[in-house]
Amino acid sequence: MRTILHSDCNGFYASVESLLHPEYRDKPLAVAGDAENRHGIILAKNELAKKYFVKTGDAIWQAKNKCPELVVIEPHFDQYMKFSKLTKAMYAEYTDRVESFGLDEAWLDVTGCNRSGYEIAKEINERIKYELGITVSIGVSFNKIFAKLGSDYKKPDAITKIDIDGYDGYKNKVWPLPCEDLLYVGRATKKHLHTIGIYTIGDIANCPVEILNSNLGKMGEVIHTFANGLDSSPVAQFDERPDVKSIGNSTTTPRDLENYSDVKMIVQILSDSVGRRMRELGFRCKTVTISIRDKDLFSFTRQGQLKNFSSCTGDIRDKALELFRNNYNFRKPIRSIGVSVSGLIGDNSPFQLSFFEDNNKDIRDEKLDKTLDSLKNRFGNYAVRPAFLMKDKNLTLLNPKDDHIIHPVGFF
């Protein structure tokens, strides 16, 4: 039987800002993007803001309608990174098995320690509070999924234990919870589950897996396994880098995109950022994915395959634009766009070339991209740009590569 902790910093960004700015400590506070440039989405909020039902993901104007006295601060990611490293270093004093799940969350495997998981969790909770000035909620359980569920179960500044059986057993504590409390049951999955009469985690656990698979594909079996407490995934070694599965950037644009010319400019900028990051990490990709959100916040994603594995910005851009043209008709203006790549291989890995394409052109394009990368690294992001980006400087003064500070981490 393993003993797994999941520690989650409460309202992390807002907590750090309150610590750095004591004058805001007793006021409803939220951290959000730049309202003037339309990146005005609530990223985090403190407990006082929660009392006004301010939610992560609210637009600033929505949050202000709920709480007119709300103090809104732009994010300071360098400070959040600093506090994140401090918390992870503290966790590493208890075990060498510490796996990050974003900046503010981590799993710890304390199996075999001479104290109970609850005792260790209590000590960590108190130390972070008094040494760093922020609070954490910690779940204690026998696997990663239920440990995370425990850290969400009661907030803020709480410890929740979920055992395999007994009064605190997962069937008593977990199964009555709504299905969306389970990791990877988002809004779309929740809607699918509700259509087949599944409303709680217990309903997922007791539903025949064939029914879940027929409605959700492979994720049906995954969440069935999670709900039944059968997650056996290990906690990674401290500082062990997870395999990179995809690389992407997205942006909420300074104004709505009204036509294809607007979209082409933003896709060029995003593709350049994704390509540069991919080349720095030493990868080529096979799959390109776009995500589109219109002004009414309706969103969708589409993906397509490249003819060959590539690290060229032009290949990523052309496939992204092809996907866009085939799937969007501009009935509504666009608010945000994302471009990502997956199906990655190392740039030294062999792959099949085409007999019908100019492979020398691909080699020339790759060399050109790497030359441009070195110029931008030396003289700045705007040192060399395609001329068509100069048509609308207010729209194209984006730098997603350098502004992309936080790299989300997936469970799998």
Side-chain angles (χ1 to χ4, degrees):
M1 186 66 64
R2 296 187 298 163
T3 304
I4 310 295
L5 312 184
H6 183 270
S7 183
D8 185 0
C9 299
N10 302 133
F12 184 50
Y13 298 175
S15 295
V16 172
E17 294 294 349
S18 295
L19 188 66
L20 298 176
H21 303 282
E23 66 271 22
Y24 299 142
R25 194 167 294 171
D26 297 323
K27 298 179 180 179
L29 172 73
V31 178
D34 183 357
E36 292 184 4
N37 287 325
R38 291 250 309 240
H39 302 278
I41 301 297
I42 301 298
L43 304 175
K45 66 281 180 193
N46 66 5
E47 291 301 314
L48 289 173
K50 285 182 184 179
K51 292 180 180 179
Y52 291 89
F53 304 103
V54 174
K55 296 178 181 178
T56 301
D58 281 351
I60 292 177
W61 65 266
Q62 291 174 315
K64 287 278 193 179
N65 284 343
K66 296 175 182 178
C67 178
E69 295 80 25
L70 184 69
V71 176
V72 179
I73 299 178
E74 288 188 15
H76 298 93
F77 291 112
D78 56 336
Q79 293 295 331
Y80 310 150
M81 294 285 284
K82 173 185 174 182
F83 275 82
S84 176
K85 289 177 181 178
L86 290 171
T87 59
K88 306 295 170 53
M90 188 180 296
Y91 301 152
E93 295 179 25
Y94 295 87
T95 174
D96 63 346
R97 292 280 171 181
V98 178
E99 180 179 346
S100 295
F101 193 55
L103 273 187
D104 56 341
E105 302 181 41
W107 282 286
L108 296 76
D109 188 337
V110 295
T111 305
C113 292
N114 57 8
R115 290 185 292 166
S116 71
Y118 187 88
E119 290 174 324
I120 295 172
K122 188 171 179 58
E123 182 173 307
I124 291 174
N125 172 278
E126 292 174 352
R127 284 189 62 191
I128 288 180
K129 189 185 308 178
Y130 292 109
E131 293 180 30
L132 300 184
I134 61 177
T135 64
V136 293
S137 292
I138 302 178
V140 183
S141 194
F142 56 95
N143 65 39
K144 290 167 67 176
I145 296 299
F146 286 168
K148 174 161 174 55
L149 198 62
S151 69
D152 292 332
Y153 190 84
K154 187 179 180 181
K155 290 179 178 288
D157 194 16
I159 300 171
T160 301
K161 187 178 180 182
I162 299 176
D163 290 327
I164 195 166
D165 51 28
Y167 176 76
D168 285 329
Y170 72 93
K171 291 183 180 179
N172 292 333
K173 188 165 281 186
V174 172
W175 281 8
L177 297 174
C179 60
E180 62 267 26
D181 284 1
L182 192 64
L183 188 63
Y184 284 103
V185 178
R187 276 189 291 181
T189 303
K190 170 188 170 182
K191 186 181 293 185
H192 280 301
L193 292 173
H194 283 188
T195 60
I196 57 175
I198 292 178
Y199 297 94
T200 68
I201 296 177
D203 292 339
I204 297 174
N206 292 301
C207 179
V209 70
E210 296 80 12
I211 294 177
L212 293 173
N213 285 341
S214 66
N215 284 273
L216 303 173
K218 64 180 182 180
M219 283 306 298
E221 186 169 354
V222 170
I223 64 171
H224 186 266
T225 298
F226 288 175
N228 280 288
L230 300 176
D231 166 48
S232 59
S233 55
V235 177
Q237 197 87 18
F238 183 59
D239 278 345
E240 179 180 313
R241 294 187 64 180
D243 293 336
V244 177
K245 302 271 196 322
S246 64
I247 299 169
N249 278 112
S250 63
T251 186
T252 300
T253 51
R255 61 170 174 81
D256 287 339
L257 306 182
E258 303 281 353
N259 52 52
Y260 179 73
S261 177
D262 288 347
V263 170
K264 184 179 178 182
M265 288 189 281
I266 298 300
V267 168
Q268 169 66 37
I269 293 168
L270 294 173
S271 300
D272 177 65
S273 173
V274 171
R276 288 173 66 191
R277 291 172 57 203
M278 182 167 57
R279 291 187 290 273
E280 283 180 2
L281 293 170
F283 288 116
R284 290 190 174 95
C285 71
K286 184 69 172 181
T287 303
V288 176
T289 302
I290 62 167
S291 58
I292 305 294
R293 177 174 292 177
D294 67 25
K295 72 180 186 66
D296 293 333
L297 302 186
F298 171 78
S299 61
F300 69 91
T301 61
R302 296 291 186 272
Q303 67 178 30
Q305 302 290 312
L306 299 174
K307 292 180 180 178
N308 293 314
F309 284 92
S310 176
S311 65
C312 295
T313 293
D315 291 339
I316 301 168
R317 176 200 62 222
D318 292 346
K319 177 56 69 173
L321 290 173
E322 176 190 323
L323 291 167
F324 178 83
R325 288 193 302 268
N326 292 340
N327 291 281
Y328 203 77
N329 57 14
F330 272 109
R331 278 197 293 254
K332 295 178 182 177
I334 293 171
R335 180 180 176 84
S336 67
I337 294 182
V339 175
S340 65
V341 295
S342 55
L344 304 176
I345 62 170
D347 55 11
N348 292 321
S349 300
F351 63 93
Q352 180 64 53
L353 297 174
S354 171
F355 288 106
F356 308 103
E357 303 290 334
D358 182 2
N359 296 306
N360 288 325
K361 178 181 180 301
D362 294 339
I363 295 172
R364 291 195 300 272
D365 288 346
E366 187 171 312
K367 287 182 178 179
L368 176 60
D369 278 340
K370 289 181 178 180
T371 301
L372 294 175
D373 291 348
S374 65
L375 289 171
K376 291 175 182 178
N377 289 338
R378 184 175 179 183
F379 298 109
N381 183 66
Y382 305 111
V384 184
R385 310 187 83 198
F388 74 92
L389 294 183
M390 307 304 291
K391 289 194 298 183
D392 190 337
K393 292 184 180 180
N394 291 329
L395 183 63
T396 61
L397 282 179
L398 302 173
N399 186 3
K401 180 179 184 296
D402 292 339
D403 291 342
H404 186 99
I405 297 173
I406 298 175
H407 301 260
V409 179
F411 178 79
F412 298 105

